[in-house]
Amino acid sequence: MASSSSGAPLEGTTTVQVTTQSLNPDSTDELTQIKASLQREKAAKRKMYSYLVKIADELKTLRNESEQLIHAAEYARKAWYEGGMWRGPNVLPAAAGLGSPSKLQQQQQMQGGGVSGGNADSSSQGGGNANNNEGVGAGPAGGMAGPTMVPRAPVSLSDLFLDIVTVTAFTRVGSAIQDQSTITIPMLAYFAIFWQIWSKEASYSTRFDTTDISSHLETLLACFALLGGSLSAYSDFYSAGCTRIMAVAMFVAFLHVALHARVWYWFQAGGEDGSVNSQVKQYAAFITAMNGLEVVNWGVGMSLAQDSSWRPYIFLCGILLNLRLPRGFMPNDFHAACSKRGVLFILLLGFNLQSIVGVASPYFNYWDPSWDQYAFL
């Protein structure tokens, strides 16, 4: 009992001695340095991740901005017969209100990435261009998909030929005014008819792709008709020449009835209100109806007798039927429209300069011209 109370170890027990020693100061500093190094490494990785996210966003923005240029280059390298020589109409991106790649991408995302592939290209993208409007399912031509939006040069060779023919027609009207030394109502009416024929062609080519054979054929027929009608610019309302000009106007109106009826047929599936396909369908139906009324109007005028007093009213009605709101149902490609008008005005200026030089040439001394002659030119 004494031994136990005095703190002696009992029999059968084990005594454990714990010795506490202070940590080495060098080990504590090393641990602190490791923790600080880990914190710096985490901060560096976090910053690097934020930089990578920013770079990815910039690359995505750059890709969206260059997408239109890429498709323009692909379209420029594509042969004119790809997709079929009689392929369906394709909407220009600017005419669809999707001129910028960001808007185009938003439209594609809204449509769930639908591909319409109107060019029917045999590319590796599954028969569709990446630069498409909303998917409309299968098209009318043997399972071919619906129309697409493709970039295009603002002025083509056929458009240039149309401009030259139009300027020639204007020159014929100007020559008639010069010979008669007065401006008459028939001359103004003929000038308006020639201008509206050019406006019809420009209105279509600034909204739809015109590289297919059907569009080229329609443009060439309209050019030859306009060129033939310009030969009767000297005629008054009560002559056979006036009847020929009405026939020209009726023929061009009939061509646009067929052209826009084809567009309506291609886009007849339509779409949601406010969508690209819905706008194109409404525009095609309106233009087809107005040109159809114009065909009827000119047909009635041709059936009248040459001395009929209703002939001037036929021209007035035909001119009024050609009036259009610039952005009534469907906007056009503003850049292409400005380019076409610019080319036409440049050609008009060139023809005017040629006329001035032709008139002044008998009075111009080619061997020793004076300063007054130079100033006149």
Side-chain angles (χ1 to χ4, degrees):
M1 295 294 293
S3 61
S4 61
S5 61
S6 61
L10 298 176
E11 185 178 358
T13 62
T14 304
T15 302
V16 179
Q17 296 181 356
V18 179
T19 59
T20 57
Q21 299 178 355
S22 59
L23 294 175
N24 190 357
D26 296 337
S27 300
T28 304
D29 294 341
E30 184 178 357
L31 182 61
T32 303
Q33 292 176 0
I34 292 175
K35 289 181 178 181
S37 176
L38 291 176
Q39 292 294 334
R40 288 194 300 269
E41 187 174 354
K42 286 182 179 180
K45 289 182 178 180
R46 191 179 297 111
K47 186 178 294 184
M48 184 181 298
Y49 177 76
S50 64
Y51 288 156
L52 289 176
V53 171
K54 292 180 179 179
I55 292 174
D57 293 338
E58 291 293 335
L59 290 176
K60 186 183 297 184
T61 303
L62 180 62
R63 185 190 64 179
N64 294 336
E65 292 177 352
S66 61
E67 183 178 3
Q68 192 76 6
L69 298 177
I70 293 174
H71 289 300
E74 291 177 353
Y75 184 76
R77 291 193 299 265
K78 187 177 65 174
W80 63 272
Y81 52 81
E82 288 188 17
M85 293 186 296
W86 300 94
R87 59 184 178 273
N90 298 320
V91 182
L92 299 180
L98 300 174
S100 62
S102 59
K103 292 182 180 179
L104 183 61
Q105 187 183 30
Q106 292 175 3
Q107 177 76 4
Q108 290 176 346
Q109 291 175 357
M110 290 175 60
Q111 299 299 330
V115 175
S116 55
N119 274 342
D121 295 336
S122 58
S123 59
S124 60
Q125 298 177 353
N129 197 332
N131 187 11
N132 296 333
N133 60 331
E134 58 178 336
V136 294
M144 184 184 298
T148 67
M149 293 177 295
V150 293
R152 188 182 64 86
V155 179
S156 63
L157 295 178
S158 59
D159 294 333
L160 184 60
F161 180 61
L162 173 66
D163 292 338
I164 294 174
V165 172
T166 304
V167 171
T168 303
F170 291 165
T171 304
R172 291 285 299 174
V173 176
S175 299
I177 294 174
Q178 181 182 0
D179 292 344
Q180 298 183 14
S181 301
T182 183
I183 300 177
T184 61
I185 295 179
M187 294 176 186
L188 294 178
Y190 299 158
F191 180 85
I193 294 300
F194 297 157
W195 170 261
Q196 288 178 345
I197 289 176
W198 180 88
S199 298
K200 286 180 181 180
E201 300 297 326
S203 177
Y204 182 84
S205 61
T206 54
R207 289 176 172 85
F208 303 99
D209 176 38
T210 56
T211 57
D212 57 300
I213 292 296
S214 59
S215 298
H216 282 302
L217 181 61
E218 187 275 334
T219 302
L220 290 177
L221 290 176
C223 289
F224 292 136
L226 179 58
L227 190 60
S230 65
L231 300 177
S232 302
Y234 286 80
S235 305
D236 57 9
F237 285 141
Y238 311 104
S239 63
C242 177
T243 305
R244 286 191 291 268
I245 291 182
M246 287 192 289
V248 168
M250 185 181 71
F251 178 71
V252 175
F254 176 76
L255 289 177
H256 279 269
V257 167
L259 196 63
H260 288 87
R262 181 171 177 260
V263 174
W264 179 87
Y265 176 71
W266 197 257
F267 284 84
Q268 64 179 339
E272 298 180 358
D273 292 338
S275 63
V276 175
N277 285 5
S278 177
Q279 293 178 359
V280 174
K281 181 181 177 181
Q282 295 176 4
Y283 173 79
F286 174 75
I287 299 299
T288 302
M290 296 301 290
N291 281 283
L293 292 176
E294 190 179 350
V295 169
V296 174
N297 175 72
W298 295 121
V300 171
M302 293 176 61
S303 64
L304 295 175
Q306 290 188 5
D307 57 350
S308 175
S309 59
W310 288 97
R311 283 198 162 201
Y313 298 102
I314 293 294
F315 274 87
L316 178 61
C317 184
I319 292 172
L320 292 178
L321 287 174
N322 270 286
L323 298 180
R324 307 279 189 271
L325 293 176
R327 301 171 66 91
F329 292 96
M330 178 184 177
N332 61 351
D333 189 339
F334 181 75
H335 170 67
C338 292
S339 300
K340 292 179 186 298
R341 284 192 293 266
V343 172
L344 181 66
F345 294 155
I346 288 173
L347 290 174
L348 281 172
L349 179 61
F351 272 66
N352 288 332
L353 291 177
Q354 181 185 9
S355 300
I356 292 173
V357 173
V359 172
S361 59
Y363 310 100
F364 190 83
N365 186 359
Y366 290 95
W367 303 106
D368 189 16
S370 63
W371 289 107
D372 294 337
Q373 294 173 346
Y374 274 121
F376 174 77
L377 290 178

